[in-house]
Amino acid sequence: MVAECRNGDVIGVAVAQGAQAERQSLKALYVDAAFRSHGVGSALARTALTGLDPARPVDLEVARFNRGAQRFYARLGFQAVLGSDALWRGVLPVVTMRRPAGWCETLKP
């Protein structure tokens, strides 16, 4: 999923995975800093999540120190999974956040 400006410049991207796999996840969500707090990230996330099975949970990993991103995902229904702290590629401390099964019912456009 890609978000573009009127001039065609890419300002954000979201990647969801797993509608057919055992585990569903929001693999990536990036928004150009100049376009944050304008609804771009929310629109990308919601659009990416609509392609997943609402009867199953969705996971994502977020940097443990990125409290702003954690608050953003919490507004979309994700909750930190206790005891999920890990190192991404052995370097970056991350925490898993999960949106429970049934998220489609709570998703607001």
Side-chain angles (χ1 to χ4, degrees):
M1 190 72 40
V2 173
E4 298 179 343
C5 275
R6 292 179 190 196
N7 68 3
D9 287 349
V10 174
I11 59 170
V13 63
V15 178
Q17 173 182 318
Q20 306 304 320
E22 184 176 317
R23 182 175 176 237
Q24 298 188 121
S25 60
L26 183 59
K27 299 299 284 183
L29 179 62
Y30 303 103
V31 176
D32 184 306
F35 295 91
R36 291 182 188 153
S37 298
H38 296 287
V40 175
S42 295
L44 279 169
R46 286 183 172 119
T47 301
L49 291 170
T50 60
L52 300 179
D53 181 356
R56 296 173 35 223
V58 179
D59 290 347
L60 61 83
E61 289 183 334
V62 62
R64 188 180 322 140
F65 57 80
N66 193 339
R67 301 291 186 213
Q70 291 174 33
R71 286 189 301 272
F72 169 80
Y73 291 123
R75 287 192 299 271
L76 294 174
F78 288 87
Q79 300 170 343
V81 176
L82 294 177
S84 67
D85 288 20
L87 289 177
W88 181 79
R89 298 198 177 185
V91 178
L92 180 68
V94 295
V95 62
T96 298
M97 296 184 76
R98 177 170 295 139
R99 186 174 194 153
W103 56 262
C104 188
E105 298 169 13
T106 61
L107 187 63
K108 297 176 184 172

